[in-house]
Amino acid sequence: MRIKDDVIRQHHFIHIRCFAHIINLIVVEGLKEIDDSITRVRSIVRYVRASPQRLAKFKAITEQLQIGCSSMLCLDVPTRWNSTYIMLDVAQKYQRAFEQMEVEDEGLRYALLELAGQGLSAPDAHDWTSVRYLIQFLKFFYDITMRIFGSKYTTANLYFSELSELHFHLKNSCADSRGLLSAMTARMKTKYDKY
């Protein structure tokens, strides 16, 4: 008998998908549910970051409002959910500055009118509330990704415990979710069950 023929169940139980990739697929699927709030925040962050003058004006407003956040506004890569998480986490800390900039910056008001023609608007109070709920929910996925994503060490020993924790989190979130996150967690759970 050749060694190649002596395998357990023709390798069916040996192949393990990349856990970080599975998490990415699950979260991207869930984010499709609340894309409008994310798009509104993304558009206002994009506007502020589009020129050094706008960014300087935004920084002046944050100093005037005494917002004690030192994190820099960043624009996400829509296909990478963790960059969306970071963008939203930083942007929500500057909510008052964005609202003040809408009042003071004529260019922003004009840009928002253009967005309104495309069916978009500036983030409103509901969007910021949605973003805060989303950040709290996604923090778990971000933290688990940071724990298992490593290129200088093996993470196979973490796989089962993290997978179990992910399953438990999704199951509880589906049971406890109301309103905003209910459809999102249901989509994520369906995607998780597929893998």
Side-chain angles (χ1 to χ4, degrees), residues 77-122:
V77 178
T79 57
R80 299 194 46 104
W81 75 268
N82 52 347
S83 70
T84 302
Y85 167 79
I86 293 168
M87 176 192 71
L88 295 174
D89 188 38
V90 172
Q92 60 95 19
K93 295 172 184 171
Y94 291 111
Q95 177 184 351
R96 292 185 309 133
F98 286 121
E99 292 168 345
Q100 187 63 34
M101 193 162 181
E102 283 181 55
V103 173
E104 293 182 17
D105 189 335
E106 191 173 313
L108 177 56
R109 288 194 304 270
Y110 180 73
L112 291 173
L113 285 174
E114 283 185 16
L115 286 174
Q118 300 169 13
L120 293 173
S121 62

Side-chain angles (χ1 to χ4, degrees), residues 7-17 159:
V7 294
I8 301 170
R9 305 271 302 162
Q10 282 68 39
H11 298 284
H12 290 316
F13 298 110
I14 295 174
H15 177 75
I16 298 176
R17 294 182 185 271
Y159 182 79

Side-chain angles (χ1 to χ4, degrees), residues 10-44:
Q10 282 68 39
H11 298 284
H12 290 316
F13 298 110
I14 295 174
H15 177 75
I16 298 176
R17 294 182 185 271
C18 175
F19 191 41
H21 183 67
I22 292 171
I23 292 172
N24 185 53
L25 294 173
I26 291 168
V27 176
V28 167
E29 184 68 24
L31 288 177
K32 291 176 184 176
E33 279 298 318
I34 58 166
D35 195 40
D36 290 344
S37 294
I38 295 170
T39 302
R40 288 184 188 107
V41 172
R42 183 182 295 128
S43 65
I44 200 163

Side-chain angles (χ1 to χ4, degrees), residues 151-181:
S151 59
K152 298 188 186 241
Y153 56 92
T154 57
T155 57
N157 60 323
L158 301 174
Y159 182 79
F160 184 73
S161 63
E162 297 295 347
L163 185 65
S164 298
E165 195 174 331
L166 175 62
H167 175 74
F168 184 74
H169 182 68
L170 282 173
K171 185 178 174 183
N172 285 345
S173 297
C174 284
D176 294 342
S177 290
R178 291 173 218 93
L180 171 71
L181 296 177

Side-chain angles (χ1 to χ4, degrees), residues 50-64:
S51 78
Q53 295 83 7
R54 292 177 191 165
L55 198 52
K57 183 172 185 80
F58 185 79
K59 287 180 183 179
I61 290 171
T62 61
E63 289 172 8
Q64 173 191 349

